[in-house]
Structures are given as C-alpha cells and as structure tokens.
Amino acid sequence: MDQLLISRAKRRRNLDHSQLVTVMRRLALEAGDKIMEIYQADDFEIKSKSDDSPVTAADEAADAIISAGLRAAFPDVTLVTEEQAASHSQRAETFLIVDPLDGTKEFIHRRGDFTVNIAYVENGVPQRGVVYAPAKGRMFFTLADGRAVEETGPLDKDSIGDTAPLSVSQADNSALLVVASKSHRDQATDDYIGKYAVKDMKSAGSSLKFCLVATGEADIYPRVGRTMEWDTAAGHAVLLGAGGQVVRFDDHSPLTYGKEDYANPFFIAYAPSVDLKEA
C-alpha cells in the first residue's frame, strides 16, 4: 500500500500541465453547452430553492460532465467539487477543485454573469485554472506555463483558437476602477471601497470579477462576504497568471487553498500597483 501511495504521489508531481489545460478547457466548454441548453429551454422555470429546479439540474449536469472527465484523465489527483458533498471531507496538498455553475442568482435572473470554474491547486496555490462564461462567450484560462489568456477564437472543443495575453492594469490610485459583487453587495463592502479614490465602479457576478481585474478592466475587487474555495480558485489562478494578487482582507497575507472546510476568509483581488488600504 505504501508503494501505491508513493507511486500516485509521483504521478501527481509529474502531471502534464499541457494535458491539464487541454482537458480543463474542453470540459468547461462541454459543461457550458449543457448549462446553456437548460438556460435557453422554452420550459425553463425559475425555482431557486427546489431540488428539481433548472438551476439545480444545470449544476448537476455540468458537474457530471466535468467530474467524469477529470477522473478519467487524472485518476490519481484528488477531486473536490461543490456538488458532491462527500468530496468536501477530502484533504490533499494537490487537488482539482470545481464549481460547475458559479453565479446562481445571475442564472436565475438571466443576467448571463455565471461561469464554469475548474482549477488545479498545488501546495495551497491555484496553479492553473479555467473560467468560462457560456452566456457571454468569454473564456479565460492559464496556459501550461501559468500565463493567463483570454481565448478570442471560435472556442472549438478540440483545439485552442486565437488567444490574447492577460495583464493587470497599471493602476492610477487617484482614479481607481473597482469591481464588486452584483448579488452580494453590502454596506461593509461599500465602506471599504469608500477608502479609495474611485473613478468608476462596476458590478459583475461570479468569478468574472477576478477576470476583469486580470484583463485590466478593473484594478481591485474586494470581497467582504462568504465564499468557498471552489468559487474562487479558477479566477484566482487566472489573476495570478496575469500578474495579479489575492490576499486576505484582514492582514493582506496570501489567500491559500486546502483549508479544513474549504471556506474562504474575506479577501481582496487586485493589481499590485494598487495602494491597498487596511481593513
């Protein structure tokens, strides 16, 4: 048994990042197709609390596609996914983490700001990630070397199209661009944003907020509210690959992954040129 564990650990260390990115991207696109099929159905009913709701059906269908694909491709890597409660008790230094449909309220209200999120975490850091917004046709991911890109091509499942490299802004601290949650905005968030000189503020749903910082469309995204690691890992990876950072709200230490309950503290995602204010 010890030899088996050692062998599995060795295979995890030798994980092919090119294969990882290819598989994660393809599964995100496949899951996105299924989500949009439910989203666009004529008989789409909005049931935010029912187990039989289209939102739940979309969650579960997307999760089934992604989980099966990841387990087939990477059987030795621990898989944690929001939709499978049994996976939340697993602990590993290296793991895949999935939110098959992030932005439930955006899905319910047909605002389009929902995403498919798949990430690979190693030693507490999201090393690779894919964020796909199927209703918006926007695909963000990290390449095998960790650099972040947005794919601008046709989003073919079998081949990566044209990509544009992502790079965070050179922020003007006298005129910052802020992005905040569309569905979870509160007074505490507004109070913190009020510490900055803000030129413009936009709202966005799901992990797209990380991506807006990664593209330079925003300088900072503060989150004063509950999130789970599967909500943030993929967007965090994309932002890191664009030169950004994500830190804890309280002490500005790096936000890490693999915590006991997979729950995040409050955090700030930002371009390093932003002069961060204390909580």
Side-chain angles (χ1 to χ4, degrees):
M1 180 59 72
D2 289 344
Q3 287 299 319
L4 178 60
L5 292 175
I6 291 169
S7 176
R8 286 180 173 175
K10 187 178 295 185
R11 285 198 293 270
R12 286 196 295 269
R13 286 196 299 271
N14 295 330
L15 190 67
D16 182 337
H17 285 178
S18 293
Q19 180 196 12
L20 177 68
V21 170
T22 298
V23 171
M24 291 197 303
R25 176 189 168 278
R26 175 177 54 78
L27 292 173
L29 289 168
E30 291 177 0
D33 283 352
K34 178 56 68 173
I35 289 168
M36 293 306 294
E37 181 183 314
I38 295 168
Y39 186 67
Q40 295 170 340
D42 291 338
D43 59 351
F44 175 40
E45 295 180 66
I46 300 171
K47 296 180 181 178
S48 60
K49 294 184 179 180
S50 167
D51 288 342
D52 195 36
S53 71
V55 174
T56 299
D59 278 323
E60 293 180 347
D63 184 70
I65 290 168
I66 295 168
S67 297
L70 290 176
R71 288 191 172 114
F74 310 107
D76 299 307
V77 181
T78 298
L79 174 62
V80 178
T81 171
E82 179 183 13
E83 299 307 315
Q84 297 176 36
S87 73
H88 303 171
S89 61
Q90 299 179 102
R91 293 291 169 267
E93 290 185 358
T94 298
F95 57 96
L96 291 154
I97 187 162
V98 174
D99 187 346
L101 176 54
D102 181 34
T104 301
K105 290 185 178 179
E106 309 309 317
F107 188 95
I108 293 170
H109 297 299
R110 292 182 177 275
R111 288 197 287 246
D113 278 14
F114 50 85
T115 54
V116 179
N117 298 270
I118 309 172
Y120 171 72
V121 175
E122 198 172 72
N123 298 320
V125 180
Q127 300 281 357
R128 303 291 180 271
V130 174
V131 175
Y132 176 44
K136 292 183 172 293
R138 296 193 78 175
M139 164 66 82
F140 308 89
F141 62 96
T142 53
L143 299 172
D145 62 6
R147 290 178 297 130
V149 297
E150 179 173 4
E151 185 171 350
T152 56
L155 300 182
D156 181 271
K157 293 181 181 64
D158 296 323
S159 62
I160 297 174
D162 293 336
T163 59
L166 300 184
S167 181
V168 295
S169 66
Q170 185 60 43
D172 178 353
N173 283 284
S174 66
L176 289 176
L177 305 175
V178 179
V179 62
S181 176
K182 185 173 287 185
S183 300
H184 302 281
R185 184 82 168 271
D186 59 13
Q187 189 59 49
T189 303
D190 287 341
D191 289 346
Y192 183 70
I193 292 171
K195 297 183 178 189
Y196 293 89
V198 177
K199 176 184 178 182
D200 188 31
M201 186 155 56
K202 62 180 70 177
S203 60
S206 70
S207 54
L208 280 173
K209 294 182 285 294
F210 289 97
C211 299
L212 292 178
V213 180
T215 63
E217 294 171 68
D219 303 313
I220 183 171
Y221 158 40
R223 182 56 183 259
V224 186
R226 180 177 171 82
T227 60
M228 304 300 288
E229 291 185 13
W230 44 78
D231 297 319
T232 61
H236 189 160
V238 168
L239 182 53
L240 288 177
Q245 297 179 15
V246 185
V247 296
R248 292 175 59 108
F249 187 77
D250 53 5
D251 62 7
H252 294 178
S253 63
L255 181 68
T256 60
Y257 290 75
K259 298 180 289 294
E260 185 173 346
D261 55 359
Y262 293 101
N264 287 323
F266 302 162
F267 63 82
I268 308 166
Y270 66 104
S273 51
V274 172
D275 180 16
L276 280 191
K277 306 298 184 184
E278 296 301 318

